[in-house]
Each structure stands twice: as structure tokens, then as C-alpha cells.
Amino acid sequence: MSARALRLSRLLSRPGFHVFLTGLLMVLGFALAHRLSERSGREQLAALSMERLELYASNLAAELGRHAYLPSLLAIDPTLQALMQTPADEARRRATSQMLARVNVRAGTHQIFVADAHGEVVAASEALAPPPRLAEALMQQRSHFFAADPSTGSTDLYLLHPLRQAGRTAGVIVVRFNLAPLEATWVDLGLRSQGERILLADEQDVVIMSSVQAWKYAVLDHADPSRRQALQASGRYPQAVGPDLDLPASLEAHQARQVQLPLAGSQPLLAQQRQIVALGLRLVALSDLSEVKQRAQVAAWGGAAFGASAGLLILYLSSRRRALRQLTTAQGELRQAHAQLEQLVDSRTAELRQTNEALKSQIAQRLQTEGELLQASKLAVLGQMSAGLSHEVNQPLTALRALARNSIRLLEAGRTDAVTANLKIMDDMVERMSQITRQLKSFARKADEQPIGSTALLDGVRNGLLLLEHRSRALALQVEVDVPAGLRVRAEANRLEQVLVNLFGNAIDAMQHEARRCLRVRAAAEDGGQRVRVQVQDTGAGIAEADLPRLFEPFFTTKPPGEGLGLGLVISAKIVHEFGGTLRAERLEPGMSFEFDLAVDTWTAAVETNDV
């Protein structure tokens, strides 16, 4: 490969070249599509405008030619011929005027009158002033002329036919009809279609009819001050000559030109003209090019999209070719690597067998270690349960010991009724110890949990205080209970009492060395009475701020060694969580406050305050 071909190949393989090529194709597609679409749109619009222009010209010629025969027919009427012989005869004038009035009504013209050679009206269908251009038309021997109605501002067409007597012109018959109905159709078209404007200009290039009322009596091209003064002095127009439209003087019907009129703002227009030679008029059509421009823009963006697609296709083909070349190279390298891999596999097979044997030995050791760790974990859990059982059963055992000693004394004194009551209490405590043991088991296995039902909160508080009555009496403890008698919560009774006993016991332990010992139990409504917040407060020394985050960790305790294992709050927090609440701790001045929330089942009584 030559150096030039190599450089060209490298250039074609660069992504930047393809980006440049795609951008170039987009620009070319944009410009070419815009030009072709605009040219095609202008040609279509010119053809359509030409058809409409011919239609307007035909309608105008038909409307103007509809009464062209009338003056010549009237010229041979005997009544009118007799009038021309004796123009001063009043009887013949009246008869001619009556005849002209009848013809005027039947023909639908605006006025018919007869004038002498000097332009003086001899007879008329109705009494109207003659147009100011009549004398000028007679001098120029014109067969028609246009003039504006000074009262309405509309355009009138006057058709003239000479009346001859003895080889000379004795007068003229004039038929006048108004072009306001035709102009009204043009105005209506202009209001309904803003895309096309029709103008009719006379031989002075002044617009005498228009579909745009504001352009009437405007000058098609440009009028300097002297020409504008002459047009105004001619008396042809009932109002001041309008502004200049600045249309090109060389407009042809088959050569449409783009123009921009001052009165149309910046809107581009396509101008076409048709000469009506017989009447000396110019019919001009102005078509809006905005839609053509918009279509050209859309086509241009389509061309840009096509160019982008072509560029991306070239990029795809180039990338595919490069990818195939790279794939062929990679296949050769892969075959070489495969041969090397086979040699490497043969050499590593022996090492792999040795490694496999060593791995099997490690797996066996790992399984043995996992079994030992699992057994150690079970023993740790059993130790935790045993420690919890000892912690939770210690207080009821102390009460049982006290009740047993009291029963011995009561037997010696012969008080069997009191002994029976103590035995009943002891039986209840043994049952409660059994329930606590089962609860500790349920803490480890959730499948054995008791169903959550409805229980009276005040009964649970009283039962818990009863279990600790001997301790509270020994410390002369003041107990304040602020719990509604009819409040029932969603909880299991035995586990709720366990929570309360743990909190009461911790509070009593915290107040052993305090001068003021007060235990408060309160219940307050939350969430509109849907839940209740239970608070257990004491006046003890409290817990240090640094120890609060660890308060609910297993085996964490602030008590001296041998007096607690740090499981009471953990078990209580778990029970409250199973009830759908949360156990929290807060420092007081002095003392601590433990609180938890429960769902309310029923609440039918007012709050009662009890001091125990």
C-alpha cells in the first residue's frame, strides 16, 4: 500500500472525520431540501394563483359585460330618437325619463340618462348629478369610464353610446351600474382567506377595487408629490389618494415575483398581474408565501435528517468494516492463544489436582469448626437464658421465703385462716414463676408466644406492686398510681406484669439509698385516645448520660457485681416491641423515667389517683 493510500485509510478510520462528514451532509441536505421545497412551493402557489387570477378576470369581465349591450339597444328606441330631434320638448323629456326608469329597474342598473353633446343631462331614470368625468369622456369619445360615487365611496362603471343625428353626434346615452356587490365578494374573500389579496387598478395605477379595504385608492407603484397632486385634482376619487404599495412596474402573469409591501409589514408576498386591455385595467393577485416558507423549513430539516442518516450509515459501514478487520485479526490471535492455552492446561493439571486435595482437607476442617462454633453459640444462648431465669425468679423466691416463714409463725399462733391466705398467695407466685420461665423460653423461641389479647392495665400494675410489696414496705416507699380503672390495652397479662415488675424492681433498687423514695405510675392518652403512654418514674440517683445509649444492651448493668445480669430491660423491651410499642428511658431531676406505649382496647372510666 502506498503512503497516500495509507494516509487516506487512516483519515477514513478516524471518528472526527465521520463527524465532519455527517455535519457536511446535514448542511448540504438542509440547503438543498430548503431550496427545492421553496422553489416547488412557489411554482405550485404561482400556478394556483394564476388560475384564481383568470377566474377573477373572467368574473370581472362577465360582470362588466353583462350590460354592455344596453346602451346600443336604447340608442335605437323611437322615444329616444324623437327626443334627440327636439331636445327642448318637455313632454318628450318626461316620456324618455319614464322609459329609462322602467329599463333601469328591469336591467338592475344604477342609473340611465341621456346627455347632449355638451354633457348636459336631457332625460334620466332618476334625478342624480352627472359624474364629473362625463365631459372629459365625451371629448375623448370614450365608450366607458370608471368613477367613484362621492356619497358611498364605491366604484361605478359608466357605459357610453353616441346618439347621431344627420351624421353628427347629437348626444350620448349613459348606463351607470355600481360595482359594490362585486367588491363586497372580494372583501368577504379577503376576510375569510388571509393568504390572498386581489387588487384592481385603473389606467392611472390607482386601486379602485380591493379585497383589503385599507388598500383602496392606494397607488400600485410610487407617486411623487406632483403626480399625487395631479391625481387628487382629477376628481376621479372621492377621497385622498392612499399610500404607495411599491409594486414593481414590470409584473407579468406568468412571471411571479416575490415582493414585500410596506403596508403588509415584513410578510413576503408573491405578486402576479393580468391586464384587462379592453377596460384598461390591471388585476393584481398577492399570495402569502409564509406557508411556503414554513414547508421549506420543514423540508430543510428533513433534508438535514436525511444527511445525518447518510452520514451515520457511512459511519456504521466504516465501523463494521473496521470491526470485521479487527475480528479477523482477533481470530488469528485467538487460535494462537488457544494453542498456548492447551500447553498451559497440560502443565497446570497436576498442580490443580494437588490444590484440589488440599482444598478438600480445608473444607473438612471448616465444617468441623462451624459445628463447634454452632455448639458454642447454643451454649451461650442457654447460659443467657439461665442467667435471665435466675434474675427473674430471684424476687418471687424471696417473697415465697418471707411468706413461708410468716406462715410458720401463723401456724404456731393457730391462725389457720391467715396461713390459708398465705398458701394461696404462694400458689399464685409459683404459678407466676412458671409463667416467667415459659416467658423466658418464648424470648428465645417466638413460636411459643402467647396470643395478645385485652387486659386491664390497672390490674397489671397492682399485681406487679403486690409482688414487690415486701420491698416497698421495708423501704417505706411512697407509691403513686395514676391509671384509669376502666382502661384495657392490647397486651398479654402475664408478660405485661413481667415488664412492670422489672421496671418497678429497677426503680426500687435505684432508691435504696435516697432520702425521698417515691414511685409513680402514670397512663396518658396519645393519638386521640388510640394509644396510651405508660410511665414508671422514680426519685433515685438516675443513670449517667454516657450510659443511656447502652441501657438496652444485653448484660449491661450499672448495679454492683452479683446484683444484676443486665437482662431485665432487654427482655422488657422485647416484650413491649411484640405488643407494638417501644420502651424508652429519660433522665429526670431527680431520678429516671421509663415509658412505653400500647394500643388501647377500651377506655370507659375516668383517671383515678391512688397512693399505695
Side-chain angles (χ1 to χ4, degrees), residues 38-93:
E38 186 176 12
R39 178 184 296 177
S40 175
R42 289 184 59 177
E43 291 176 355
Q44 293 178 2
L45 184 61
L48 181 61
S49 179
M50 181 60 193
E51 294 178 1
R52 293 179 179 175
L53 196 62
E54 292 293 337
L55 179 61
Y56 280 113
S58 300
N59 291 339
L60 179 62
E63 182 68 22
L64 298 183
R66 187 160 57 95
H67 301 288
Y69 67 91
L70 189 57
S72 59
L73 290 179
L74 292 175
I76 62 176
D77 186 88
T79 305
L80 198 147
Q81 291 289 337
L83 176 64
M84 287 294 98
Q85 293 177 0
T86 56
D89 190 344
E90 289 295 333
R92 291 186 175 183
R93 284 190 177 189

Side-chain angles (χ1 to χ4, degrees), residues 325-562:
R325 186 171 58 252
Q326 293 176 353
L327 180 60
T328 303
T329 305
Q331 287 177 349
E333 296 176 352
L334 182 60
R335 285 192 294 268
Q336 183 180 0
H338 182 69
Q340 296 177 356
L341 182 60
E342 289 181 350
Q343 297 177 358
L344 183 61
V345 168
D346 293 338
S347 63
R348 296 288 177 85
T349 302
E351 298 178 3
L352 183 59
R353 292 194 185 96
Q354 296 176 359
T355 305
N356 190 23
E357 295 297 332
L359 183 59
K360 289 181 179 179
S361 177
Q362 293 177 2
I363 290 174
Q365 294 178 2
R366 180 178 177 181
L367 292 175
Q368 182 180 358
T369 304
E370 287 181 353
E372 294 175 355
L373 289 175
L374 181 60
Q375 184 63 25
S377 176
K378 291 181 179 180
L379 292 176
V381 172
L382 290 175
Q384 179 181 354
M385 294 172 61
S386 300
L389 180 61
S390 174
H391 177 78
E392 298 299 332
V393 174
N394 183 50
Q395 294 174 350
L397 286 176
T398 302
L400 287 173
R401 186 183 299 111
L403 289 172
R405 292 175 181 175
N406 189 22
S407 297
I408 294 173
R409 297 190 186 95
L410 292 174
L411 283 174
E412 292 174 353
R415 297 175 57 187
T416 58
D417 295 339
V419 173
T420 302
N422 285 350
L423 291 176
K424 181 64 173 62
I425 294 173
M426 292 170 67
D427 180 67
D428 293 341
M429 288 185 178
V430 171
E431 176 62 25
R432 186 170 291 109
M433 290 170 60
S434 175
Q435 293 176 352
I436 291 173
T437 305
R438 288 195 300 270
Q439 175 57 30
L440 188 60
K441 182 180 179 181
S442 71
F443 179 75
R445 294 181 60 190
K446 191 172 184 179
D448 296 335
E449 292 178 354
Q450 298 294 330
I452 298 176
S454 176
T455 184
L457 180 59
L458 184 58
D459 292 343
V461 173
R462 287 174 176 172
N463 292 337
L465 292 175
L466 181 62
L467 288 176
L468 302 174
E469 183 180 6
H470 64 287
R471 296 187 61 190
S472 60
R473 186 183 300 109
L475 295 177
L477 189 67
Q478 179 184 356
V479 180
E480 298 178 1
V481 180
D482 192 3
V483 178
L487 173 60
R488 300 186 67 84
V489 295
R490 300 292 298 172
E492 196 270 320
N494 292 329
R495 290 193 288 170
L496 178 59
E497 291 179 11
Q498 182 180 353
V499 173
L500 294 173
V501 167
N502 280 333
L503 297 180
F504 295 163
N506 290 340
I508 293 174
D509 292 340
M511 294 186 293
Q512 285 184 358
H513 306 290
E514 301 297 327
R516 181 172 177 269
R517 306 181 184 93
C518 180
L519 176 64
R520 302 184 185 90
V521 184
R522 297 177 178 175
E526 286 186 338
D527 295 339
Q530 298 297 321
R531 300 188 68 82
V532 62
R533 184 175 71 253
V534 182
Q535 294 178 323
V536 179
Q537 301 175 347
D538 62 69
T539 58
I543 300 174
E545 190 72 29
D547 294 335
L548 285 177
R550 302 183 56 195
L551 198 58
F552 295 98
E553 293 180 3
F555 304 106
F556 174 77
T557 180
T558 58
K559 297 179 182 179

